[in-house]
């Protein structure tokens, strides 16, 4: 296996006195899409939060390239190549699409950099450029999700964490979101994705992980997990 870009080793994490993750070990290769699946409450969001600094890491280490980032704050992570689209991500409804985009670059020291980066992203996602002056609160579900994804790209992240990007979307927008995720990945971003639509998530993933009761139960390529009889029966509703 190539050098992992993101690695968790023996991670124990949770909130205060509550331990949610027990000895989690995962490796994600540079340029991959990795998908984490598992039942509700198994700790998927907590795993993402422990990487990003929103949950407490009690033991173990998290490494981004060759830098240990265990316990680093979300702000530091955003300024250092990692962005995170929360499960309940939201846009600022009273602001325009463009103003929302600029918020995604708030860690930049100069405003010109954010403006230039927004223009690059409008080139990449012309649909967003077309609606840049529209108030975000008036967007359709699919447009809003695209804005959330593009806003997280403002910092040109090496790694993006996406928690349930298809949740709450009408079915007709779901394929579109997965196409966007593949497009982001082709632009060079490594992606760790949590997905309740496990079939769909694993089908775009180079690597899959099954989390249950705070432990990684299976690891394999997306295809291996999709074809695994036990994973199918227990976690894919098959
Ligand atoms: N902020 C929090 N404080 C304490 N416990 C939490 C917090 N957030 C989540 N939990 C608990 O952690 C467990 C895993 O939750 P979560 O990571 O959200 O699971 P998933 O994303 O797989 O549905 C659940 O038992 C949940 O109640
Ligand atoms: Mg969750």
């Amino acid at each position: 296996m190539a050098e992992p870009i993101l690695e968790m080793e023996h991670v124990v994490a949770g909130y205060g006195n509550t331990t949610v993750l027990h000895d989690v070990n995962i490796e994600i290769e540079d340029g991959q899409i990795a998908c984490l699946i598992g039942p509700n409450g198994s700790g998927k969001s907590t795993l993402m939060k422990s990487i990003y600094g929103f949950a407490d890491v009690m033991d173990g280490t998290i490494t981004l390239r060759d830098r240990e980032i265990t316990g680093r704050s979300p702000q530091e992570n955003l300024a250092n190549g990692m962005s995170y689209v929360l499960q309940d991500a939201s846009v600022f409804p009273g602001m325009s699409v463009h103003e929302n985009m600029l918020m995604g670059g708030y860690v930049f020291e100069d405003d010109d950099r954010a403006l230039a980066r927004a223009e690059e992203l409008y080139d990449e996602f012309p649909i967003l450029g077309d609606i840049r002056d529209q108030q975000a609160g008036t967007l359709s579900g699919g447009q809003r999700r695209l804005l959330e994804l593009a806003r997280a790209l403002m910092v040109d992240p090496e790694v993006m964490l996406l928690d349930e990007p298809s949740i709450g979307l009408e079915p007709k927008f779901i394929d579109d979101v997965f196409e966007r995720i593949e497009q982001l990945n082709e632009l060079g971003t490594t992606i760790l994705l949590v997905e309740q639509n496990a079939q769909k998530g694993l089908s775009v993933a180079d690597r899959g992980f099954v989390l249950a009761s705070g432990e990684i139960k299976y690891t394999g390529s997306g295809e291996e997990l999709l074809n695994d009889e036990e994973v199918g029966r227990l976690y894919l509703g098959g």
Side-chain angles (χ1 to χ4, degrees):
M1 184 164 163
E3 273 295 288
I5 186 169
L6 183 64
E7 186 169 14
M8 300 174 78
E9 289 174 286
H10 302 297
V11 169
V12 177
Y15 309 91
N17 294 325
T18 310
T19 302
V20 177
L21 301 181
H22 313 280
D23 194 26
V24 164
N25 295 279
I26 64 172
E27 288 187 5
I28 299 167
E29 265 181 60
D30 200 356
Q32 283 191 333
I33 299 179
C35 179
L36 179 66
I37 65 167
N40 263 340
S42 59
K44 302 181 299 297
S45 293
T46 302
L47 187 150
M48 306 281 254
K49 289 177 187 170
S50 72
I51 295 172
Y52 210 69
F54 286 123
D56 303 319
V57 177
M58 291 93 165
D59 204 357
T61 55
I62 300 169
T63 312
L64 179 67
R65 291 217 187 269
D66 31 27
R67 282 160 293 166
E68 191 185 329
I69 61 163
T70 319
R72 202 160 79 167
S73 73
Q75 179 110 6
E76 283 175 281
N77 281 315
L78 187 63
N80 286 281
M82 188 154 53
S83 64
Y84 183 9
V85 181
L86 291 153
Q87 184 170 341
D88 45 10
S90 186
V91 299
F92 299 100
M95 292 185 183
S96 69
V97 166
H98 185 59
E99 287 164 339
N100 270 277
M101 289 291 283
L102 296 182
M103 292 297 286
Y106 81 95
V107 291
F108 294 158
E109 288 185 359
D110 73 290
D111 296 344
D112 289 347
R113 186 163 163 213
L115 288 168
R117 179 65 181 152
E119 293 303 329
E120 281 177 15
L121 291 167
Y122 297 143
D123 287 344
E124 200 59 50
F125 304 100
I127 296 171
L128 268 189
D130 292 344
I131 57 170
R132 60 195 284 166
D133 296 323
Q134 208 170 309
Q135 203 171 319
T138 68
L139 302 183
S140 70
Q143 289 171 326
R144 198 175 62 222
R145 196 56 47 91
L146 176 59
L147 172 57
E148 289 164 356
L149 294 175
R151 186 177 57 184
L153 286 175
M154 282 291 289
V155 295
D156 198 7
E158 283 187 296
V159 176
M160 240 177 139
L161 309 180
L162 304 179
D163 197 347
E164 310 257 16
S166 80
I167 206 164
L169 283 185
E170 291 169 55
K172 62 179 176 182
F173 293 127
I174 292 181
D175 285 344
D176 191 45
V177 163
F178 280 97
E179 274 171 37
R180 295 299 180 192
I181 290 169
E182 291 187 292
Q183 188 183 0
L184 308 184
N185 178 245
E186 280 156 21
L187 294 172
T189 311
T190 302
I191 292 173
L192 174 60
L193 163 79
V194 166
E195 192 41 65
Q196 99 289 349
N197 189 336
Q199 300 270 1
K200 195 81 208 170
L202 290 175
S203 72
V204 301
D206 301 294
R207 189 124 208 105
F209 304 102
V210 179
L211 189 72
S213 308
E215 293 176 15
I216 298 285
K217 304 285 189 193
Y218 299 88
T219 305
S221 69
E223 205 178 336
E224 280 165 352
L225 293 189
L226 276 176
N227 293 326
D228 187 283
E229 193 263 329
E230 198 168 55
V231 171
R233 185 162 44 81
L234 293 175
Y235 304 106
L236 302 175

